[in-house]
Amino acid sequence: MLYFKQQIEVLFGLADAYRLQLNFDKSNQYYSEAYKIIKNTNNIQLEFLYHVKMAEFYRKRTMFIKSVTQLDRAAVILKKNKIENLYLAKYYNRKAALFTEHFHSQDSTLLYANKSLDLAKKLNDKDNVFYSLLEIAGVYERKKEYETSIRYLEEIIQFAKSNNMQQQEADAYISYIMALARSNQLEKA
């Protein structure tokens, strides 16, 4: 069983790497290979994670209905099974992203981003902490609560620096400069 889990993690890693490179055909190929193994091993945890990853795969391509469908499939698994907190944090984080980009519901984004953040902090999952905080900062910016958004972004930048998360730090700086510009703090931007 351990061998299959490691094999699936490698396939997920390859699929994620190709997704980030926007090579969706190759990415989908690796996700499909992983899913075949998951179905053969009947691992509910990894099946749940597969649906979360596919939700992100479709969200990245702005195929929001398919993304929602994948999160709905994960939700069915969640209703019947106890899911590991690491996978739950990822699930709530992707739900938050969908409520931002597809449903445009700031309250739901906050709800799911905070759920993800709480779990990520308990797990010391720095990546999920970062992206959950970034979702939260984005909500306040969209609500035109710029000072709150800027405070979050300053915290996020410091968090990224202290954890040597260079790419995330760059992403946070971009959001920070945009929030400063929108709040007419051009001299600071």
Side-chain angles (χ1 to χ4, degrees):
M1 188 60 109
L2 180 61
Y3 168 75
F4 290 119
K5 187 174 182 186
Q6 290 171 335
Q7 190 178 11
I8 291 163
E9 288 172 356
V10 167
L11 291 169
F12 277 162
L14 289 167
D16 291 346
Y18 281 110
R19 177 181 44 80
L20 291 171
Q21 293 174 356
L22 306 180
N23 185 338
F24 297 115
D25 290 336
K26 201 80 164 149
S27 177
N28 192 41
Q29 175 188 333
Y30 285 113
Y31 284 131
S32 295
E33 285 181 42
Y35 190 65
K36 286 176 193 169
I37 297 168
I38 290 166
K39 289 310 279 181
N40 286 334
T41 60
N42 201 24
N43 186 316
I44 293 297
Q45 300 296 320
L46 291 176
E47 184 175 348
F48 178 86
L49 180 60
Y50 166 80
H51 291 299
V52 172
K53 288 186 170 288
M54 288 306 294
E56 176 60 10
F57 173 80
Y58 289 120
R59 187 197 67 83
K60 184 81 171 173
R61 299 173 71 187
T62 65
M63 299 170 78
F64 296 124
I65 301 303
K66 288 185 176 188
S67 184
V68 169
T69 299
Q70 291 296 323
L71 285 181
D72 287 347
R73 289 177 181 162
V76 168
I77 294 170
L78 179 58
K79 284 180 183 166
K80 298 177 184 175
N81 302 277
K82 172 110 176 82
I83 299 299
E84 293 175 26
N85 283 344
L86 177 63
Y87 301 153
L88 270 181
K90 294 176 187 310
Y91 169 77
Y92 290 131
N93 190 273
R94 295 305 77 211
K95 278 192 81 97
L98 263 181
F99 274 96
T100 295
E101 295 176 28
H102 178 57
F103 296 112
H104 307 288
S105 171
Q106 305 313 317
D107 292 339
S108 293
T109 297
L110 269 181
L111 172 76
Y112 291 117
N114 277 309
K115 283 184 173 199
S116 178
L117 180 61
D118 290 344
L119 289 169
K121 282 182 175 179
K122 286 178 190 171
L123 296 164
N124 197 26
D125 179 351
K126 292 173 179 54
D127 219 38
N128 246 335
V129 167
F130 175 86
Y131 286 109
S132 297
L133 287 170
L134 197 61
E135 286 288 348
I136 293 167
V139 167
Y140 288 111
E141 184 179 340
R142 285 183 294 283
K143 288 182 161 190
K144 299 187 184 339
E145 294 178 27
Y146 297 115
E147 291 309 313
T148 304
S149 177
I150 290 167
R151 275 197 313 275
Y152 269 100
L153 288 163
E154 288 170 345
E155 176 188 344
I156 293 165
I157 290 166
Q158 199 52 44
F159 178 81
K161 274 184 188 177
S162 66
N163 288 290
N164 200 28
M165 301 168 82
Q166 295 171 339
Q167 180 59 55
Q168 290 90 335
E169 183 182 345
D171 293 344
Y173 266 115
I174 292 167
S175 295
Y176 181 64
I177 290 167
M178 290 171 56
L180 288 171
R182 288 189 179 111
S183 67
N184 292 318
Q185 296 183 46
L186 300 176
E187 69 287 343
K188 220 174 167 184

